[in-house]
Amino acid sequence: MSAAVHGSRAAAPPRSKPLRSLTGTGGLVRLILRRDRFLLPSWVIVLALIPINFVAATDSLYPTAAERLKYAQTTGNNPTFLALYGPLYDTDLGSIIAQRSGFIPVVVALISVLTVVRHTRTEEEAGRRELLGATVTGRGAGLAAALAVTMAANLVLAGLLAAGMVAQGLPLAGSLAFGLQLAAAGCVFAAVAGVTAQLSEGAGAARGTAIAALGAAFVVRMAADAGGAGNGLSWLGWLSPLGWENRLRAYGEERWWTLLPVAALAALLVAAAGLLSARRDVGAGVLPPRLGPADAPRLLSGALGLGWRLQSRALYGWLAGFAALGVVYGAVAGGVGDMVKDNPELEKIFTRLGGQGGIIDAYFASIMSMLGLFAAAYAVSATLRLRTEETGQRAEPVLATPVGRLRWASGHLAFTLLGPVAGLGVAGLAAGLAHGLDTGDPGREVPRVLGAALAQLPAVWLVGAIALALVGLAPRLTGGAWAAVGVFAVVTLFGAGLGLDQWALDVSPFTHVPKLPGHDLAVTPLLWLLAVAAVLAALGLAGLRRRDLSTA
């Protein structure tokens, strides 16, 4: 009998461990690393290499202590530079590089936002999160894995950057602080994205809310720093996470304690995201969706109406951002002449970016490339909504009606085509008006700056066409559209400063856009860009029409 009892005990199934919220996080971390095995190392290495390559270029521009002091007294404390890149805390080489890299934390924060939303709300929207939830996976494992991978990537970026700067002969403490500046921005806004991913049901809304928070933080930081050290608005810098990381003062008597509020805010946001995630249903958001009226007007009855319903709110947010950027860029244009008057080398770089016109015209030409990149990001986002609808199983019911695939796609592609027109139009109008009011001649400046903004459209449409080609021909590789935006941004914004050869600069379609204003309008390159965009769009639509839809 005792043997029977013993056998019975031996055959009993082992008691299962209670499922905790973070159970399975390790497995999901490995899944994210596998899915991002190319993308994740690419942006970490590229963003680390950009400041490292600035060392030699900046050293050649300002080889002596006297020239660096002159830079600090002129360019480094110019309101335009202060607004765009932040304060200069010392006159050594490291401080100059840290200031000139002042926009990179914004890029790091933006990539961190996109990464977290991609692996949380996008997975949930596509139904894959629910599938994983049916396995031995805790409720908070997906969010924890996304945040852990993103924040770890930021810390690796900080380590690579610090090691690279030390290898170039710069001080260890300043290099470490410089790397942590970038990691701090990335970690805070990864946590912000963790919260926004819990608020709404859509990935687009989560991305838009987090990017709006990033834009607000950048504008507050600009307002705090534009007036220089000790100005009446400098206290605003303590209201922005981007201001906190800037006040770490890399290479300028580092203030390590400024990392404490950054870490506290990131921890608070992560805790809030975890709490919100535990209190809502899978697939739902904390904020309930606003139901529309029972009867829709005829305007919303077709494919275009559906596209308007799905994409219009995101477009409103982008237009607000374009308007804010236009006002800021136009308002600071008047200080550009002072910025380069004592530095012919810097003027050469500016004119290489913006053409051979006057320096303010060159500034506007370079700024328009930046606005064009933002518009390209919007075009990619609007185009990839097709793929989101497909993987979310919402396209199939629509296509079961008499609506054909091309007609369904046209409702979304109208935003790829016309959304950048509206965005660049708003930005160009705002920038021209702000600069025109500053110079007292808005009648001359508005049409010139507006035309320069709209000249970016062929390059923007080409980027949107790349996204469409991937949706139609290689739907599993649609993330490549964002990689293309990243490559074009690096080449356009940093290629000239890094001394890239012309063939490398030509990789970006924005290199081929005429340098307006202050330069002749060359129509031929624009026609080539339009032709390539038309071919890619035709290939993408043909592929979308013929291939099978994703049904799982």
Side-chain angles (χ1 to χ4, degrees), residues 36-89:
D36 286 3
R37 59 189 179 279
F38 298 117
L39 189 60
L40 196 67
S42 298
W43 69 260
V44 168
I45 293 172
V46 168
L47 290 177
L49 287 178
I50 289 173
I52 293 171
N53 280 286
F54 279 168
V55 176
T58 307
D59 194 30
S60 65
L61 281 174
Y62 310 102
T64 65
E67 287 176 294
R68 291 169 190 160
L69 178 61
K70 189 175 181 182
Y71 167 88
Q73 293 171 340
T74 55
T75 305
N77 281 293
N78 180 278
T80 304
F81 245 50
L82 290 173
L84 292 178
Y85 302 118
L88 176 67
Y89 290 110

Side-chain angles (χ1 to χ4, degrees), residues 387 390 405 471-472 475 543-551:
R387 181 64 179 162
E390 179 186 349
R405 292 192 185 189
V471 169
L544 180 64
R545 187 166 176 266
R546 292 176 178 276
R547 71 171 172 83
D548 293 334
L549 291 180
S550 299
T551 55

Side-chain angles (χ1 to χ4, degrees), residues 239-337:
L239 301 181
S240 167
L242 296 177
W244 298 351
E245 56 87 8
N246 223 330
R247 280 150 181 76
L248 181 55
R249 303 170 67 108
Y251 302 105
E253 299 179 358
E254 291 80 12
R255 293 177 176 174
W256 299 103
W257 61 267
T258 59
L259 292 173
L260 293 177
V262 173
L265 178 60
L268 183 65
L269 290 169
V270 168
L275 187 63
L276 294 174
S277 175
R279 289 176 177 270
R280 66 176 178 82
D281 293 332
V282 174
V286 173
L287 302 177
R290 192 176 62 180
L291 299 179
D295 298 319
R298 290 183 59 82
L299 182 65
L300 297 178
S301 61
L304 185 60
L306 177 62
W308 176 262
R309 175 74 177 172
L310 295 175
Q311 303 229 27
S312 58
R313 292 181 183 178
L315 178 61
Y316 296 151
W318 280 90
L319 291 180
F322 275 113
L325 285 174
V327 170
V328 171
Y329 289 150
V332 302
V336 173

